[in-house]
Amino acid sequence: MRQRLIRFGFLLITFLAAGAMHAQSGSQLRFCLHSEPKTLNPVLMADESSETVRYLTGGVLMRLNRLTQTLEPELATSWKESAGGKTITFKLRAGLHFSDGTVFSAEDVAYTIQQLMDPALHSPTGDSFRSAEGKVITRVEGRDRVTVTFPAPVVGLDKLFDQVAIMSATSPQKELAVLGPYYVAENKAGSYLLLKRNPNYWKHDASGAQLPNIDSIRLDIQQNRDIEMVRLARGEISFINSLDPEYFDKLATQAPGTVHDAGVSLDSEQLWFNQVPTSPLPAYKKAWFTSTNFRRAISNAINRDDLARVVFRGHAQPAVSWVSPANKVWFNAKLQPHPYDQKAALRFLANDGFRMQNGVLHDRDGHIVEFSVITNAGNKYRERMATMIQQDLAGIGIRLNVVTLDFPSLIERITRTFDYEASLLGLVNNDLDPNSQMNVWLSSAENHQWNPSEKTPATAWEAEIDNLMRAQAATLDPKKRKKAVDRVQEIVWEQEPFIYLVNKNALSAVSKSLHNAHPVVLHPQVYWNVDQLSLGSEVAQSR
Amino acid sequence: MRWVRIIAIAFLVVVSMSCLLANFVAPAPYAYQFRELPDASPSRQHLLGTDSLGRDRFSRLLYGTRVSLLLAPAAALFASILAALIGGSAGFVGGWLERCVMAATDLFLSLPWLFLLITVRALLPLNIAPFTSVLVTFALLGSLGWAAAARVICADARSFSRSDFILLARASGSGGFRLLWRHVVPNFKPVLFAQFWIAVPVFILAEANLGVLGLGVAEPLPSWGSLLRELESFSSMSGQPWQFFPLILLIAVISCIHLALRKQEPSL
Amino acid sequence: MRRLAMHIARLVAVMLLGGLLGATLVRVAPGFGTDESDLDGRLSSASIQALRQSNANHENIAIFYFHYLGRLVHGDLGMSRTLGQPVRQLLADRLPETLKSVGLGLTLAWTLGLSLALAAVVSKKSYIDLFGSFLAGILLCIPAAVLAILFVITRAPARLALGLIVFPRIFTYARTLLFRTASLPHVLTARAKGIGNARVLCWHILPVAAPQLFALAGVSVSLAFAAAIPVEALCDLPGIGQLAWKAALGRDLELLVNLTMIVTAVTLTANSASDLLGHVSHAGEV
């Protein structure tokens, strides 16, 4: 009897200890989304909030490790590219289940790919794979093997699957049945989303305990960044991604261990001039904006160091070209940011017949050099940059008018009516491979912002960029691709269709109660390893 | 209380003179960026410190006061006059005219005028002078801000139109516009003053919010509204209390306007 | 009965007109039919063109509105383009939140505003009037965003911010109306005859000022709804104010038409009720 009691007691203690070791029952991670997710369908997700939900719930075949920037197997144990990058074959993990218990198989991968590549869906993720017109063929070879063949080679093919969350072909829950660490348990419109741990998640930690460590995640819809800061200070949320520089500095003095500057990110801020020939601008302004000398002069007249130091409080660095220095593989290290040099600016302008008169710049026909720059209202950093550029250009006699517009009005001007002179916007870049910017650099593309959808390249240098971008997309040889991309960066640096201003740093704030967080440069910065995060009392985080 | 009124008037005179003489009083141009000193604390060189771009706050306050103190009361006056004319006429005449006008007023209160403002911005050239942009903004605010007061004035006018002194005036041969102007409108003054006094700070703040639509004051011209927008940040809540000076000044000016214009009111 | 029916018919007609005018304002505003996907570098040209085509559906506003009314009769309020959900569901989820906020806000504003105004009239002390005016002045000058942050920092219910935004108007108008009525000859006569303050207030001041106060009450409802937009947007309260702001930024025609009609209906109802009460109180006074 006594022995039975002792055995029972031992078992009870072991059970309790196991529960305590697992340690996170009832634990909830909370952070904010800045807008409501537009869709929970993983193939249609395009906005940041929806992509956050996809990252937290979606199971992918391979995952780009945001820390090491290498591709790691996930649902696929191995993969092989063939036919010059047209075909990829996956060997899948066996014995996995979706969150609702539906069995995972190669059929699900085939189904997901077919959905993704449906041309009627216009999926942004799907378009990333679309290197040419034609049908994508999927071939299921048994339960755990599937081959996908594209109509043309796709560069960086394997890394693109980091964005493809596998959906179930047979589950009655459709896209709500997931393979990731969490599933969407509750969605209160306009208020929050509650994600709960996936009971069938396949990953385990080193000790064999099932991941994720944290039981649930609550994503509060919070547009106001100031209130987000208050909530972090109060301990209501665990971290802030993409922290504003002024909040970074404030938190750095109040709670030094909570802020992280992961270094320069892939994001950039740039200014460009309207070079659309059919725009409703007067001819003399079109002549200014299409002149390389004019653009180089503007670039030289802007003090990028001041922009980085004053607007971003040192948490940014002057930008060089369209590839950020954070992209160590593809960045052209031979290039330097254009220096702040008013004399050089005036020389460039003099080449085109501009001259100063009583401190005001005139063109060769006597027009005062005055133009406007539009940017989206509500982004105080862009508004400040525009105001600083206004003073910089005043130094060479140019009058710059800063106009802030609501986003739809701004989009209409730069994509439909072309009724603008210059625009200041930023690029949020999640992809290391430069091929992801094909739709910006091809002259025939819609996102060729300064002169979209050209029937033929308007200039020789744009034609050269077209050739180079197509060449890098047509080969898998990394050296050839690097050479082509380096040359595109050089051309952009010389011609300045986009005047790159700064690359911002990746800033975040993480509560000390969140363990195992290692904020990185690539999105999603803080929670890239969400299944390994844990919550506890405030102790020093392991690094 | 007379001394309170005198002090209020004197304060308003000092503020008005300071902003009118801003060119001489301001220690630095309002647009100049002292880039080595962003977010500086108050000092002898910068009495209210500098803003996030290193611009002298005191200079910007002086020039901003000039813009707001001139245009916001003008817009408020315009809105009050519109309210008086529309509401007063409708309530006084009564009948189907009153019903139609009040239905139009209710409609006016309900429509999303945000889109009209966006459309107006689209019609204006991008290279518009900052002061012209401000002028257009306040004109729009004045033409859109009359509806709420018009309703109250309409009810007022309706009551007056049935009162004994109006009956007496009619019996004495007064009628039409003369009756309205000589006997009814003077009784609207207190309500119109209330409308005016409310509208001034509302329009000042609204001008800042219209920056979202591309209207309002364009950089680098300051206004009270744009200075107050700096407060809309958690980081300004502590550590930089001098940022609240424009708010304190606005409260002081609004209070002084009220004290200067109010009469000694009878109580029971 | 006939008059009531005509009055209701008038309200419905004005409401429908409001919906049409609101839809027209949205349709002609720049940025209509655009989407952030226009700037998505991942999308191919074909995809961008197709998305633009689908966003450009509401070409003719009259035809759109006609179809909308047809669907409205069957209870179908359309689909929100920006949020991808049925408008009916969105409104059902969010309208109660706004009604709560507006209700609380108006209660606070009227309680505080009318109390202070009455106290200023009744009291012989001018400092009460000065205090009320000063408080109203301060609240008029504080930007809504600053109020919202203050409420969050102090953990006060953000809904009450609505009350503080509407209070200055209530107090200022009510104070003005009551003081003006207190200076009328019949009130002076009543005081001269030795009638007490409470009786003078209840029998000689309030009934005379009632029509204007009722008008103010009607207007305060639309003011509260207008104030709900920035408060809900800033504090992220999931009401129709926040919805209206998102819909405006996204030029979501279906959502905005419905919201305009709701606001018009509420405004018309509140103001009609206040007009009716005003007429009744005036008739009673006579």
Side-chain angles (χ1 to χ4, degrees), chain A residues 36 46 51 122 127 189-190 221-224 227 234 236 406 408-409 411-412 415-416 439 446-447 449, chain C residues 30-31 33-34 38-45 47-50 52 94 152-153 155 234 236 246 249 251:
Chain A
E36 200 158 347
E51 288 178 350
H122 304 295
D127 278 2
I221 316 255
Q222 184 76 66
Q223 202 175 351
N224 191 314
I227 295 178
R234 214 182 271 166
E236 288 174 14
D406 67 307
S409 299
I411 292 175
E412 186 179 78
T415 64
R416 314 279 175 97
N439 288 329
E446 289 285 345
N447 277 301
Q449 297 298 357
Chain C
T34 62
D38 277 322
L39 299 178
D40 192 334
R42 294 169 298 177
L43 286 169
S44 64
S45 294
S47 293
I48 290 179
Q49 287 300 330
R52 282 184 189 172
R94 292 170 182 252
V152 171
I153 289 173
R155 295 181 200 250
L234 290 163
D236 284 308
K246 287 181 184 172
L249 290 180
R251 307 292 194 269

Side-chain angles (χ1 to χ4, degrees), chain B residues 48-66:
Chain B
L48 289 177
T50 60
D51 67 4
S52 56
L53 295 182
R55 296 175 296 192
D56 183 71
R57 276 217 171 87
F58 182 62
S59 303
R60 289 181 68 74
L61 184 59
L62 286 173
Y63 283 96
T65 304
R66 184 195 274 186

Side-chain angles (χ1 to χ4, degrees), chain B residues 65-249:
Chain B
T65 304
R66 184 195 274 186
V67 169
S68 298
L69 210 51
L70 177 64
L71 293 175
L77 187 64
F78 181 47
S80 303
I81 291 170
L82 278 178
L85 284 173
I86 296 170
S89 310
F92 188 72
V93 172
W96 64 268
L97 180 71
E98 183 191 349
R99 282 196 293 274
C100 286
V101 170
M102 285 302 106
T105 307
D106 290 341
L107 212 51
F108 204 91
L109 283 168
S110 315
L111 290 178
W113 292 115
L114 180 76
F115 297 100
L116 174 71
L117 298 172
I118 292 173
T119 305
V120 166
R121 185 60 191 94
L123 295 172
L124 293 171
L126 284 175
N127 287 308
I128 191 172
F131 194 74
T132 310
S133 170
V134 178
L135 209 61
V136 169
T137 302
F138 279 108
L140 280 169
L141 287 173
S143 13
L144 296 175
W146 57 269
R151 265 218 150 255
V152 178
I153 289 171
C154 178
D156 229 10
R158 198 189 308 131
S159 292
F160 280 122
S161 68
R162 298 166 195 169
S163 61
D164 292 340
F165 73 94
I166 293 295
L167 188 60
L168 183 63
R170 279 188 211 273
S172 306
S174 194
F177 180 74
R178 184 188 163 83
L179 186 67
L180 181 68
W181 186 252
R182 293 293 294 273
H183 298 281
V184 179
V185 166
N187 290 288
F188 292 161
K189 272 193 208 161
V191 178
L192 288 177
F193 166 70
Q195 151 71 7
F196 173 83
W197 183 72
I198 288 170
V200 170
V202 166
F203 286 172
I204 287 171
L205 296 179
E207 171 271 312
N209 293 329
L210 289 180
V212 177
L213 311 174
L215 287 165
V217 168
E219 289 284 0
L221 191 65
S223 69
W224 263 343
S226 61
L227 294 172
L228 289 172
R229 272 184 80 192
E230 285 186 349
L231 297 177
E232 296 174 10
S233 160
F234 177 61
S235 59
S236 67
M237 289 286 157
S238 61
Q240 294 183 328
W242 49 89
Q243 283 192 8
F244 285 87
F245 198 82
L247 178 62
I248 294 168
L249 181 64

